[in-house]
Amino acid sequence: MKILVIGHTVKDIIDTGDKIVTKPGGIFYAATGFYNLKQKEDEIFLLTNIDELSGNLFTESLFGKLYSHLNLKYSSTGKIITVHLKTFGTKEREEIYENLGGSLSIETLPDNLNDFDGIFLSMITGFDITLESLLLIRSKYNGIIYCDIHSLSRGIDKNNKRYFRKIPEWEKWVSNFDIIQVNEYEMKSISDKNSERKIAEEVLNAGPEILIITKGNRGVKAYKKQGNEIYSLFIPAIKINSINNVGCGDIFGASFFYSYISSQNFLDSIRYANCAAGISTTYTGFIQYKQLKNDIITRLY
């Protein structure tokens, strides 16, 4: 399979209240998931921003070990965005941005996008691609487009602090996706409806086939449209000793999308991704993601 992964690369400076750590972030986690789940013959193409200073030791140490295994022919150079994160347990985290530049250019992409088996878009900053770029991609691609809404749901104030707001022209965005992933905060940025079910119905009636709502340590709720009917299912989180949930949703998205485009099995893919996301919260270092596929198999089967 050939999978195109799109999203900004960022440097995360994470304040947990007890300590401050610096880690790679943005599309890095989703790319980590795809790389460690793929079969040998699969190829992951990454459209992102690579540090403009070639040989930069920081970039090499944080991103180089992963990105060197991915196809970067569609990526471009640019300053790495810095995100200051404050985490508050189960509450939504606070984000403040530095070096927030422009959107990623899609001019590097080929005209024939149908060679890809799937396109995975993560709106890490909310400015990863423009609506015009999405419309152009959709016009050239007949396959499945997955979108993790992420910061598309957030505005930005004069101090570069992010805040939740209604997504401008949300119908134009969501109508061009086949699968949408949100958390419970992001979900409310799409619609003015007052219940999860009504929001799901409005979103799916706009065009997508699947809406996935991640619920942290409670699990995941998914809605799927078949014909004129909308079905839902809830999968509780696996029981596990969670240490760190940063990147958990990105691992979920990559795991679900990879499983779904491989098997076309909705239920199995939700279970697979739910398990992968839970397991990822027990990892303390990126080298442990090499175990992800085997850990999922051990836990799930």
Side-chain angles (χ1 to χ4, degrees):
M1 290 195 303
K2 293 181 178 180
I3 302 172
L4 175 62
V5 180
I6 304 174
H8 272 133
T9 292
V10 307
K11 176 179 71 172
D12 284 338
I13 299 177
I14 306 169
D15 182 354
T16 65
D18 299 322
K19 59 183 178 180
I20 297 176
V21 296
T22 300
K23 291 185 176 182
I27 203 63
F28 184 89
Y29 285 97
T32 295
F34 281 113
Y35 175 68
N36 287 289
L37 294 174
K38 77 179 189 72
Q39 299 295 324
K40 185 177 180 179
E41 63 273 15
D42 297 331
E43 191 168 10
I44 309 300
F45 295 81
L46 185 60
L47 194 167
T48 192
N49 51 310
I50 306 298
D51 199 307
E52 59 191 354
L53 299 176
S54 60
N56 182 292
L57 293 178
F58 178 80
T59 300
E60 288 180 356
S61 62
L62 285 186
F63 306 104
K65 290 182 180 178
L66 171 66
Y67 285 7
S68 63
H69 297 289
L70 308 178
N71 192 319
L72 302 177
K73 65 188 294 185
Y74 306 127
S75 293
S76 55
T77 58
K79 288 184 178 180
I80 297 294
I81 300 162
T82 298
V83 182
H84 296 268
L85 300 173
K86 286 187 178 181
T87 59
F88 307 95
T90 58
K91 295 182 180 180
E92 184 65 8
R93 65 196 188 186
E94 179 183 286
E95 300 181 0
I96 300 176
Y97 281 64
E98 285 182 27
N99 301 326
L100 185 57
S103 299
L104 297 167
S105 172
I106 64 167
E107 292 180 359
T108 57
L109 292 175
D111 287 332
N112 186 10
L113 295 179
N114 286 317
D115 284 345
F116 294 111
D117 295 280
I119 296 178
F120 181 95
L121 169 63
S122 190
M123 296 296 287
I124 303 296
T125 63
F127 306 104
D128 304 72
I129 65 170
T130 64
L131 178 57
E132 289 72 22
S133 292
L134 172 63
L135 295 174
L136 184 58
I137 289 172
R138 180 80 279 178
S139 70
K140 295 180 177 182
Y141 185 63
N142 298 323
I144 300 175
I145 300 179
Y146 187 109
C147 181
D148 187 340
I149 291 295
H150 259 308
S151 294
L152 185 61
S153 64
R154 293 175 183 255
I156 187 165
D157 67 18
K158 62 182 180 180
N159 297 314
N160 287 335
K161 185 175 181 179
R162 307 307 297 265
Y163 60 89
F164 283 105
R165 53 95 166 100
K166 297 299 179 185
I167 298 171
E169 300 185 279
W170 72 267
E171 288 178 300
K172 290 184 180 179
W173 282 97
V174 304
S175 65
N176 287 283
F177 301 134
D178 300 284
I179 305 172
I180 295 176
Q181 178 183 333
V182 292
N183 64 27
E184 292 176 288
Y185 297 96
E186 296 158 1
M187 172 186 69
K188 296 175 182 177
S189 72
I190 299 177
S191 169
D192 290 320
K193 301 297 184 183
N194 57 10
S195 75
E196 181 181 284
R197 177 75 189 192
K198 289 181 179 179
I199 292 173
E201 289 174 352
E202 185 169 31
V203 169
L204 295 184
N205 285 331
E209 177 190 1
I210 296 171
L211 174 67
I212 297 170
I213 305 167
T214 57
K215 297 175 177 286
N217 59 12
R218 288 178 289 128
V220 59
K221 184 75 171 284
Y223 293 84
K224 188 174 191 297
K225 187 173 184 180
Q226 291 182 302
N228 295 322
E229 299 293 328
I230 294 176
Y231 302 91
S232 67
L233 64 89
F234 174 76
I235 304 290
I238 63 173
K239 294 181 179 180
I240 205 156
N241 182 24
S242 178
I243 298 172
N244 172 35
N245 62 7
V246 175
C248 173
D250 303 287
I251 294 297
F252 179 97
S255 302
F256 176 86
F257 193 52
Y258 184 82
S259 174
Y260 188 70
I261 62 176
S262 300
S263 68
Q264 296 296 309
N265 190 309
F266 173 64
L267 179 58
D268 284 353
S269 296
I270 285 287
R271 287 173 173 165
Y272 187 84
N274 185 60
C275 183
I279 288 169
S280 74
T281 67
T282 69
Y283 293 162
T284 56
F286 286 104
I287 194 170
Q288 291 177 280
Y289 284 93
K290 292 181 179 180
Q291 308 165 193
L292 183 60
K293 187 188 297 186
N294 288 335
D295 286 347
I296 296 170
I297 292 171
T298 300
R299 179 84 188 208
L300 204 55
Y301 306 108

